[in-house]
């Protein structure tokens, strides 16, 4: 799924919400609304997967490629330790110096990292709470040079209680964590769970804003394009 199709799907979800939901009875409309919330969230996960793959493919195909020295933080550490079990090789080199062992370690230090190998460390994970807090900061540091990317994207969220509208300013991280709980509730209890006090169109628009910010940052930092239509996509949101 490319970015163009992601935004087409978001428009379809809003169209279904505005036109089809009202034609159903209460039970059917609840099931459909739950499915729409789930689809919007899952579509964002597809986008994350796409963006990570886009980075891995472009960086490994670039003229300079990517080497160990270009990896950030824990990703660099994991790659060095796991590749050919370098901890053992280092021990062997210190206790019994041999050219063959040194050359093997040196290749890890200075050779370009193949796409298949890099994909083991830069990869999509479903947006469970612990992945958002532990896995994705490393990914964002590598791709965007910004560990706290989601914390720095500002959104607004509207709730209506008793006819009174309340607008809350939140970060993209808080927004995604909140809806990961709703996503899980829908996935496990769709037959009885009902989303309340939420604004569906705003929900979709916030995910669109997050994607827009991520695309702009991605292209600015990496110099890679997410697709030939990316500028039109950003202008249309």
């Amino acid at each position: 799924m490319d970015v163009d199709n992601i935004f087409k799907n978001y428009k379809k979800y809003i169209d279904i919400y505005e036109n089809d939901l009202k034609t159903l009875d209460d039970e059917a409309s609840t099931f459909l609304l739950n499915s729409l919330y789930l689809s919007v969230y899952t579509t964002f996960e597809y986008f994350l997967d796409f963006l990570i793959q886009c980075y891995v493919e472009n960086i490994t195909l670039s003229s300079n490629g990517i080497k160990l020295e270009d990896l950030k933080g824990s990703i660099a550490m994991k790659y060095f330790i796991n590749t050919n079990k370098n901890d053992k090789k280092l021990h062997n080199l210190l206790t019994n110096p041999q050219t063959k062992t040194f050359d093997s370690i040196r290749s890890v230090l200075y050779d370009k990292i193949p796409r298949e190998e890099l994909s083991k460390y830069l990869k999509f994970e479903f947006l469970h709470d612990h992945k958002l807090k532990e896995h994705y900061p490393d990914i964002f540091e590598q791709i965007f040079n910004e560990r706290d990317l989601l914390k720095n994207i500002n959104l607004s969220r509207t709730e209506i209680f008793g006819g009174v509208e309340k607008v809350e300013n939140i970060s993209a991280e808080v927004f995604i964590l909140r809806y990961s709980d709703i996503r899980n509730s829908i996935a496990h209890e769709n037959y009885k769970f009902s989303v309340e006090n939420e604004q569906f169109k705003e929900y979709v628009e916030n995910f669109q804003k997050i994607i827009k910010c991520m695309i702009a940052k991605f292209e600015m930092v990496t110099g890679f394009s997410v697709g030939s239509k990316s500028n039109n996509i950003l202008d249309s949101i």
Side-chain angles (χ1 to χ4, degrees):
M1 180 184 290
D2 60 25
V3 173
D4 193 33
N5 284 327
I6 286 170
F7 282 98
K8 286 179 181 178
N9 283 345
Y10 277 149
K11 289 178 181 178
K12 288 178 184 176
Y13 300 149
I14 291 176
D15 183 63
I16 293 171
Y17 175 80
E18 292 180 336
N19 298 302
D20 296 347
L21 209 62
K22 58 190 176 184
T23 66
L24 304 173
D25 61 38
D26 289 347
E27 184 177 4
S29 65
T30 296
F31 273 112
L32 179 56
L33 183 58
N34 285 351
S35 296
L36 287 172
Y37 272 99
L38 199 59
S39 295
V40 171
Y41 197 95
T42 301
T43 299
F44 178 69
E45 291 183 317
Y46 286 147
F47 166 73
L48 274 182
D49 188 18
F50 165 82
L51 199 65
I52 293 169
Q53 289 185 47
C54 183
Y55 175 81
V56 170
E57 179 175 359
N58 278 282
I59 198 70
T60 53
L61 290 176
S62 64
S63 57
N64 292 329
I66 186 168
K67 303 174 183 177
L68 175 62
E69 64 183 355
D70 303 312
L71 298 179
K72 305 287 179 66
S74 64
I75 293 176
M77 180 182 66
K78 291 173 185 175
Y79 173 75
F80 179 74
I81 291 174
N82 292 338
T83 304
N84 297 321
K85 301 297 181 184
N86 285 295
D87 51 348
K88 184 176 180 180
K89 287 190 175 183
L90 281 171
H91 175 74
N92 291 340
L93 184 64
L94 292 172
T95 57
N96 184 26
Q98 296 204 13
T99 302
K100 184 178 180 181
T101 304
F102 175 71
D103 287 343
S104 177
I105 294 173
R106 183 168 58 180
S107 70
V108 175
L109 295 174
Y110 300 113
D111 286 1
K112 294 179 182 179
I113 303 172
R115 177 180 176 179
E116 296 75 16
E117 190 66 24
L118 187 61
S119 296
K120 297 176 184 178
Y121 302 90
L122 289 175
K123 61 182 179 179
F124 167 78
E125 297 281 0
F126 289 104
L127 292 173
H128 301 298
D129 288 10
H130 68 285
K131 294 297 182 183
L132 272 169
K133 296 173 182 176
E134 298 171 12
H135 176 74
Y136 279 101
D138 291 338
I139 297 291
F140 293 157
E141 183 178 12
Q142 181 64 45
I143 296 177
F144 302 102
N145 202 28
E146 186 175 355
R147 288 185 65 82
D148 295 330
L149 177 70
L150 293 179
K151 290 181 180 178
N152 297 327
I153 297 175
N154 297 315
L155 306 172
S156 61
R157 177 175 167 273
T158 305
E159 285 188 318
I160 300 176
F161 292 99
V164 178
E165 184 177 289
K166 177 185 176 183
V167 179
E168 176 186 17
N169 294 319
I170 57 175
S171 70
E173 181 186 58
V174 170
F175 172 80
I176 293 171
L177 284 169
R178 172 178 173 76
Y179 282 101
S180 71
D181 291 337
I182 291 177
R183 184 271 307 271
N184 292 337
S185 296
I186 293 172
H188 296 136
E189 299 181 318
N190 191 23
Y191 66 97
K192 64 178 181 179
F193 181 79
S194 177
V195 181
E196 298 179 356
N197 300 317
E198 303 294 338
Q199 309 302 310
F200 180 77
K201 191 172 181 180
E202 180 185 73
Y203 168 71
V204 178
E205 289 170 348
N206 274 335
F207 270 120
Q208 288 178 315
K209 181 178 179 181
I210 295 170
I211 292 174
K212 174 183 177 180
C213 291
M214 293 181 79
I215 290 174
K217 182 79 172 182
F218 178 88
E219 295 189 336
M220 180 184 72
V221 172
T222 67
F224 304 138
S225 174
V226 298
S228 58
K229 299 180 181 179
S230 61
N231 289 332
N232 292 332
I233 289 169
L234 295 184
D235 292 340
S236 69
I237 302 174

